[in-house]
Structures are given as C-alpha cells and as structure tokens.
Amino acid sequence: DLVVPLARVKPHTDFRGRVESGLCKMLAIGLAKHAGCSRLHREGFAKFGELLPEVASRVIERTKVGFGIAIVENAYDETAHVEAVPAADFLRRDAELLVLAKRLMARIMLPAIDVLVVERIGKDISGAGMDPNIMGRTVKGPLQGYDGPEIRRIVVLGLTEATHGNAIGIGAADYTVEALVAGIDREATYANSIAAGYPESGRIPIALADEAEAIRASLGFTPGVDLARPRVVRIRNTLDLRTIEVSEALLDDVRREPRLALEA
C-alpha cells in the first residue's frame, strides 16, 4: 500500500534541529504508533535532531512512500501553506518549511512578564499541553533558542474539554488551582508523560484555592517583582494569542509595539 503522510511542519516543543515536527517526524513516530514513539523517546530529545531524519530515510527506503502533504499554519492557527512533497524531498522541505513556520509562529510581543496566567492547557492546544515556544520554558527548564519575553512565573487555571483530563505539561507551571487538579485523569496524564520520557510533565505544581491566590503567591514571593506595578499577562491558551489581557504596568510596552493594539 502507498503511504501518504500528512503533517504540520512547526517548531518542536522540546528540542531544536534542522528538522523538527513535520513529515520526517510523522514517518519516524506518527506512523509507528506507540511502539515507535516509545522507542525513539527512550533515546531522549537531545538525539532527535539526528534520529528523525535517519529513521525517516530508512522508512522511505523500505516502505512505499509516494509523497507527503506538508501544512504550515500562521499565528492565528490558520493554514498558511499547503504543499505536496515527494518522498525524496522530505528532509530538504521539512527544513525549509520549518524556517517559514518559525517566522509565522505566534508570540507574546512584550519584553518581560512577572506572571503569565494561562486559562487552559490541553493536548488539543499542544502536544506539551502548553507550547514552550510561547513561554520559553519546558518541564526540564529554558527552551534553547527562545527569543520571547522573560517570564518569571506561570499560573495555569484549567484544562480544555478536548484533553479529557490529560494534564501533560502541567509540570511546567509554578502554580495552579485546586479545580484543575480535581479534573486530572491521572492514568492518561501519567501514561503520556511516561511514554514521552518526561515524568516531569505530569508533576503537579502548588495548587491554591483560586486564581487570585495563585497570582498573589506568584507576585509576593518572586524576587525582583515591583508589587506597586506588577507585570501580569493573561492568555486563553498558547495557541490563541489574538487577544491578551495585560496589567497597567505593561500598557506603555503595548503602545510602543506597532504590532499590538489596545482595546477598550
């Protein structure tokens, strides 16, 4: 049977390489299902930059891969580019389209944030629950090559309905709320975290009663925060950055950024 992979080409959430998420990753991990995913993740993300092209090349040699459909999305989660790529060109076009994907990727266009409040995380938002490319932080620490705002503390308030209790990525937050913890499907979260080789992804941060308590804890006990002018940003999720809420201390930064506009 002819294999025709369909893949979104985009920056990966946990490693940097010439090829990240795209057609090669779909061949190496997506088509191999749980067995392929588990086997490659045992090697660690540090090796993915080398492994994905190598494994994809072996699959192309041994399987009837005719071509693939590569999709690149813009900052609004809309399709910006669709291309049929011959199997022989997977590696080259994955790398080239990754450059385009990074240029079109959403970002928070502010210089520094004391507290980032994320309303929802989930597998439908990102494979990592919330996209480290937006926050500059993985469950293991800073994301290599990140050029966005410095974010001191992250508060997560809830899970999306579509994630069905899978709270993978919650380990990247500093604080959360009790309602989120009550809705976690631990079996799904733990299975995903273990298979990815990152048990840190399923670790639960300090859970407080509500958003107000979590923000107070974030501001009050983080060195260097100006409590008279805290820099707080609230987003729906890391996939939807069309409209964000900012505290008064950030209004001048918003006015100086030509790509941002204030709404009443």
Side-chain angles (χ1 to χ4, degrees):
D1 294 336
L2 188 66
V3 176
V4 181
L6 172 69
R8 288 189 296 175
V9 180
K10 59 183 180 177
H12 197 274
T13 57
D14 293 289
F15 78 95
R16 288 289 172 261
R18 182 165 174 256
V19 166
E20 296 177 24
S21 288
L23 293 166
C24 289
K25 180 172 178 280
M26 181 58 69
L27 286 184
I29 294 178
L31 294 179
K33 307 294 183 183
H34 181 73
C37 173
S38 300
R39 178 62 188 88
L40 263 68
H41 278 88
R42 284 204 300 273
E43 298 296 324
F45 284 119
K47 295 184 178 180
F48 267 39
E50 300 174 11
L51 279 177
L52 293 184
E54 182 178 346
V55 174
S57 295
R58 297 289 183 90
V59 173
I60 291 171
E61 289 174 2
R62 303 179 183 185
T63 309
K64 294 180 180 179
V65 182
F67 63 96
I69 304 297
I71 301 171
V72 178
E73 295 175 340
N74 62 20
Y76 301 101
D77 196 30
E78 300 167 341
T79 300
H81 180 83
V82 180
E83 181 178 334
V85 182
D89 290 338
F90 275 16
L91 180 58
R92 178 180 64 84
R93 289 304 288 156
D94 252 0
E96 293 169 349
L97 292 175
L98 178 60
V99 175
L100 173 63
K102 288 183 176 180
R103 180 167 60 81
L104 296 177
M105 183 179 63
R107 62 188 68 240
I108 300 174
M109 292 172 283
L110 295 167
I113 298 169
D114 294 326
V115 181
L116 175 66
V117 180
V118 183
E119 293 180 8
R120 297 287 183 272
I121 67 171
K123 292 292 289 184
D124 53 318
I125 303 301
S126 168
M130 49 183 174
D131 192 345
N133 292 292
I134 303 301
M135 310 173 301
R137 180 195 299 191
T138 73
V139 295
K140 286 282 194 177
L143 180 66
Q144 179 185 356
Y146 175 71
D147 61 356
E150 176 190 359
I151 300 172
R152 296 189 176 190
R153 292 286 183 256
I154 296 174
V155 174
V156 175
L157 302 179
L159 304 176
T160 64
E161 289 186 12
T163 202
H164 302 296
N166 186 338
I168 191 167
I170 190 62
D174 299 294
Y175 295 95
T176 188
V177 294
E178 292 175 356
L180 182 151
V181 175
I184 293 177
D185 181 333
R186 294 179 186 250
E187 183 178 355
T189 302
Y190 294 169
N192 197 167
S193 300
I194 292 168
Y198 274 177
E200 299 90 345
S201 292
R203 290 178 181 169
I204 299 173
I206 292 175
L208 298 174
D210 54 30
E211 177 182 358
E213 282 199 17
I215 293 176
R216 279 197 294 268
S218 297
L219 293 174
F221 300 93
T222 300
V225 172
D226 182 352
L227 295 180
R229 290 180 57 79
R231 303 167 67 86
V232 181
V233 173
R234 195 178 203 264
I235 65 174
R236 294 187 178 96
N237 56 66
T238 57
L239 190 61
D240 183 359
L241 299 177
R242 292 170 186 262
T243 302
I244 66 175
E245 298 179 47
V246 304
S247 62
E248 186 176 354
L250 285 162
L251 292 180
D252 286 343
D253 288 324
V254 172
R255 294 186 182 103
R256 282 191 290 266
E257 173 51 66
R259 294 170 293 179
L260 297 178
L262 288 171
E263 295 183 1

